[in-house]
Amino acid sequence: MRIDIAQTLSEPEDRQVVWSHADAPELFDELHLKGDLVAQVLVSPEGDNKWLVTGTISGVQTLTCSRSLEPFDRPFSTEIVVEVERIQIAKQELDEEDVDVYAYKIPQGQYFVDVSECVRELILLQEPQAPVKNPDEDFIFVTNNNPAEDEAGEKPTDPRWDKLKALKDKMSKGN
């Protein structure tokens, strides 16, 4: 996942970078990304061999709802701030001293910065701990395992509770 850095850049330049599953299949699979990942960035020169890349990354993640356990697609957008410096080194390095800004050092002959790790961390950080399919709606658990029980007036229960009750009964009989 690369962002091109021009050899000479005197004015800030808007760029749109689109990454697909073919660009980083492991990352797309790990983060459950669906479709393309789009970066809208502004590349600004900050002096000789130094640039600041700012903007947003947006895409769609397929997450599992913590209420219903159903998969759902969740669009997201997150901010990105990357400092890039071209110096005399053998390979690209990520400086992790500043937690708010990703600082990359790239070799003199390299005209791009690979932001895969930065993108991975930003997407993981924006992901909710307990994703919910429809957060504004009240959740009602519905089961159609035994319609006769529903008609008799008993409330359907989540099968996970039944397993916990069975475990509790087993534990209490053992004492």
Side-chain angles (χ1 to χ4, degrees), residues 5 7 10 17 35 38 45 53-54 79 92 98 103 110 115 119 135-136 152 158 161 165:
I5 303 295
Q7 176 69 18
S10 58
V17 183
V38 179
V53 180
T54 57
E79 303 267 327
Q92 178 174 306
D98 189 351
Q110 185 171 314
V115 292
V119 169
D136 298 331
D158 186 332
W161 283 115
K165 286 178 186 175

Side-chain angles (χ1 to χ4, degrees), residues 90-107:
K91 65 179 187 172
Q92 178 174 306
E93 296 175 0
L94 173 62
D95 182 6
E96 299 185 48
E97 288 182 21
D98 189 351
V99 293
D100 295 329
V101 177
Y102 292 89
Y104 285 96
K105 294 181 174 122
I106 61 174

